[in-house]
mmCIF file of all heavy atoms in Angstrom:
data_model
loop_
_atom_site.group_PDB
_atom_site.id
_atom_site.type_symbol
_atom_site.label_atom_id
_atom_site.label_comp_id
_atom_site.label_asym_id
_atom_site.label_seq_id
_atom_site.Cartn_x
_atom_site.Cartn_y
_atom_site.Cartn_z
ATOM 1 N N ARG A 65 -104.839 25.264 -44.779
ATOM 2 C CA ARG A 65 -104.665 25.589 -46.205
ATOM 3 C C ARG A 65 -104.230 27.032 -46.397
ATOM 4 O O ARG A 65 -103.878 27.429 -47.481
ATOM 5 C CB ARG A 65 -105.977 25.337 -46.944
ATOM 6 C CG ARG A 65 -106.367 23.884 -46.938
ATOM 7 C CD ARG A 65 -107.597 23.645 -47.792
ATOM 8 N NE ARG A 65 -108.039 22.283 -47.595
ATOM 9 C CZ ARG A 65 -109.203 21.940 -47.086
ATOM 10 N NH1 ARG A 65 -110.078 22.855 -46.757
ATOM 11 N NH2 ARG A 65 -109.521 20.678 -46.931
ATOM 12 N N GLN A 66 -104.316 27.819 -45.340
ATOM 13 C CA GLN A 66 -103.996 29.245 -45.413
ATOM 14 C C GLN A 66 -102.666 29.485 -44.703
ATOM 15 O O GLN A 66 -102.604 30.139 -43.669
ATOM 16 C CB GLN A 66 -105.117 30.055 -44.754
ATOM 17 C CG GLN A 66 -106.477 29.789 -45.363
ATOM 18 C CD GLN A 66 -107.613 30.245 -44.460
ATOM 19 O OE1 GLN A 66 -107.410 30.690 -43.356
ATOM 20 N NE2 GLN A 66 -108.825 30.126 -44.966
ATOM 21 N N ALA A 67 -101.592 28.971 -45.260
ATOM 22 C CA ALA A 67 -100.291 28.934 -44.579
ATOM 23 C C ALA A 67 -99.762 30.303 -44.174
ATOM 24 O O ALA A 67 -99.017 30.411 -43.213
ATOM 25 C CB ALA A 67 -99.274 28.218 -45.452
ATOM 26 N N SER A 68 -100.113 31.356 -44.859
ATOM 27 C CA SER A 68 -99.608 32.676 -44.485
ATOM 28 C C SER A 68 -100.456 33.325 -43.398
ATOM 29 O O SER A 68 -100.071 34.337 -42.827
ATOM 30 C CB SER A 68 -99.569 33.596 -45.706
ATOM 31 O OG SER A 68 -100.887 33.822 -46.181
ATOM 32 N N ASP A 69 -101.569 32.732 -43.080
ATOM 33 C CA ASP A 69 -102.486 33.256 -42.073
ATOM 34 C C ASP A 69 -101.963 32.922 -40.681
ATOM 35 O O ASP A 69 -101.559 31.797 -40.418
ATOM 36 C CB ASP A 69 -103.859 32.606 -42.300
ATOM 37 C CG ASP A 69 -104.944 33.103 -41.369
ATOM 38 O OD1 ASP A 69 -104.643 33.833 -40.407
ATOM 39 O OD2 ASP A 69 -106.096 32.740 -41.608
ATOM 40 N N SER A 70 -101.972 33.881 -39.759
ATOM 41 C CA SER A 70 -101.487 33.627 -38.402
ATOM 42 C C SER A 70 -102.391 32.671 -37.641
ATOM 43 O O SER A 70 -102.060 32.249 -36.543
ATOM 44 C CB SER A 70 -101.343 34.938 -37.625
ATOM 45 O OG SER A 70 -102.605 35.537 -37.428
ATOM 46 N N ASN A 71 -103.527 32.320 -38.189
ATOM 47 C CA ASN A 71 -104.410 31.332 -37.583
ATOM 48 C C ASN A 71 -104.255 29.957 -38.228
ATOM 49 O O ASN A 71 -105.044 29.067 -37.966
ATOM 50 C CB ASN A 71 -105.873 31.768 -37.701
ATOM 51 C CG ASN A 71 -106.184 32.937 -36.799
ATOM 52 O OD1 ASN A 71 -105.546 33.138 -35.780
ATOM 53 N ND2 ASN A 71 -107.156 33.720 -37.181
ATOM 54 N N SER A 72 -103.234 29.775 -39.075
ATOM 55 C CA SER A 72 -103.089 28.501 -39.776
ATOM 56 C C SER A 72 -102.535 27.416 -38.862
ATOM 57 O O SER A 72 -101.887 27.691 -37.852
ATOM 58 C CB SER A 72 -102.179 28.642 -40.990
ATOM 59 O OG SER A 72 -100.836 28.713 -40.580
ATOM 60 N N ILE A 73 -102.788 26.185 -39.220
ATOM 61 C CA ILE A 73 -102.333 25.023 -38.444
ATOM 62 C C ILE A 73 -100.813 25.002 -38.339
ATOM 63 O O ILE A 73 -100.260 24.727 -37.275
ATOM 64 C CB ILE A 73 -102.901 23.726 -39.060
ATOM 65 C CG1 ILE A 73 -102.601 22.531 -38.173
ATOM 66 C CG2 ILE A 73 -102.421 23.492 -40.449
ATOM 67 C CD1 ILE A 73 -103.279 21.252 -38.639
ATOM 68 N N THR A 74 -100.101 25.323 -39.419
ATOM 69 C CA THR A 74 -98.643 25.267 -39.397
ATOM 70 C C THR A 74 -98.053 26.438 -38.612
ATOM 71 O O THR A 74 -97.052 26.271 -37.919
ATOM 72 C CB THR A 74 -98.069 25.241 -40.827
ATOM 73 O OG1 THR A 74 -98.606 26.326 -41.568
ATOM 74 C CG2 THR A 74 -98.418 23.936 -41.517
ATOM 75 N N PHE A 75 -98.662 27.604 -38.696
ATOM 76 C CA PHE A 75 -98.174 28.757 -37.949
ATOM 77 C C PHE A 75 -98.169 28.455 -36.459
ATOM 78 O O PHE A 75 -97.260 28.839 -35.733
ATOM 79 C CB PHE A 75 -99.036 29.992 -38.230
ATOM 80 C CG PHE A 75 -98.603 31.209 -37.459
ATOM 81 C CD1 PHE A 75 -97.632 32.045 -37.959
ATOM 82 C CD2 PHE A 75 -99.165 31.509 -36.230
ATOM 83 C CE1 PHE A 75 -97.224 33.165 -37.255
ATOM 84 C CE2 PHE A 75 -98.759 32.631 -35.511
ATOM 85 C CZ PHE A 75 -97.783 33.464 -36.022
ATOM 86 N N TRP A 76 -99.181 27.750 -35.991
ATOM 87 C CA TRP A 76 -99.303 27.456 -34.561
ATOM 88 C C TRP A 76 -98.581 26.171 -34.167
ATOM 89 O O TRP A 76 -98.689 25.710 -33.045
ATOM 90 C CB TRP A 76 -100.772 27.424 -34.160
ATOM 91 C CG TRP A 76 -101.306 28.817 -34.162
ATOM 92 C CD1 TRP A 76 -102.005 29.433 -35.157
ATOM 93 C CD2 TRP A 76 -101.120 29.801 -33.157
ATOM 94 N NE1 TRP A 76 -102.261 30.741 -34.815
ATOM 95 C CE2 TRP A 76 -101.735 30.995 -33.592
ATOM 96 C CE3 TRP A 76 -100.480 29.803 -31.916
ATOM 97 C CZ2 TRP A 76 -101.742 32.163 -32.837
ATOM 98 C CZ3 TRP A 76 -100.490 30.966 -31.167
ATOM 99 C CH2 TRP A 76 -101.113 32.127 -31.628
ATOM 100 N N GLY A 77 -97.801 25.583 -35.074
ATOM 101 C CA GLY A 77 -96.905 24.497 -34.725
ATOM 102 C C GLY A 77 -97.478 23.099 -34.778
ATOM 103 O O GLY A 77 -96.867 22.170 -34.262
ATOM 104 N N PHE A 78 -98.620 22.909 -35.403
ATOM 105 C CA PHE A 78 -99.182 21.566 -35.536
ATOM 106 C C PHE A 78 -98.618 20.910 -36.784
ATOM 107 O O PHE A 78 -98.591 21.509 -37.853
ATOM 108 C CB PHE A 78 -100.708 21.615 -35.620
ATOM 109 C CG PHE A 78 -101.346 22.093 -34.347
ATOM 110 C CD1 PHE A 78 -101.811 23.393 -34.245
ATOM 111 C CD2 PHE A 78 -101.470 21.253 -33.255
ATOM 112 C CE1 PHE A 78 -102.385 23.845 -33.070
ATOM 113 C CE2 PHE A 78 -102.048 21.690 -32.080
ATOM 114 C CZ PHE A 78 -102.506 22.991 -31.988
ATOM 115 N N LYS A 79 -98.177 19.662 -36.643
ATOM 116 C CA LYS A 79 -97.578 18.943 -37.771
ATOM 117 C C LYS A 79 -98.638 18.362 -38.697
ATOM 118 O O LYS A 79 -98.489 18.353 -39.904
ATOM 119 C CB LYS A 79 -96.686 17.829 -37.248
ATOM 120 C CG LYS A 79 -95.517 18.332 -36.439
ATOM 121 C CD LYS A 79 -94.744 17.171 -35.845
ATOM 122 C CE LYS A 79 -93.729 17.665 -34.865
ATOM 123 N NZ LYS A 79 -94.187 17.678 -33.495
ATOM 124 N N ASP A 80 -99.700 17.823 -38.096
ATOM 125 C CA ASP A 80 -100.748 17.176 -38.873
ATOM 126 C C ASP A 80 -102.003 17.062 -38.002
ATOM 127 O O ASP A 80 -102.009 17.527 -36.854
ATOM 128 C CB ASP A 80 -100.300 15.809 -39.381
ATOM 129 C CG ASP A 80 -99.805 14.892 -38.268
ATOM 130 O OD1 ASP A 80 -100.301 14.990 -37.124
ATOM 131 O OD2 ASP A 80 -98.919 14.064 -38.540
ATOM 132 N N LEU A 81 -103.024 16.442 -38.542
ATOM 133 C CA LEU A 81 -104.291 16.358 -37.809
ATOM 134 C C LEU A 81 -104.199 15.432 -36.599
ATOM 135 O O LEU A 81 -104.909 15.638 -35.610
ATOM 136 C CB LEU A 81 -105.417 15.954 -38.746
ATOM 137 C CG LEU A 81 -105.719 17.000 -39.832
ATOM 138 C CD1 LEU A 81 -106.808 16.499 -40.760
ATOM 139 C CD2 LEU A 81 -106.105 18.334 -39.218
#
Side-chain angles (χ1 to χ4, degrees):
R65 295 186 188 117
Q66 303 162 356
S68 64
D69 183 351
S70 65
N71 289 334
S72 76
I73 188 173
T74 53
F75 179 87
W76 288 97
F78 294 102
K79 297 175 189 94
D80 54 31
L81 295 178

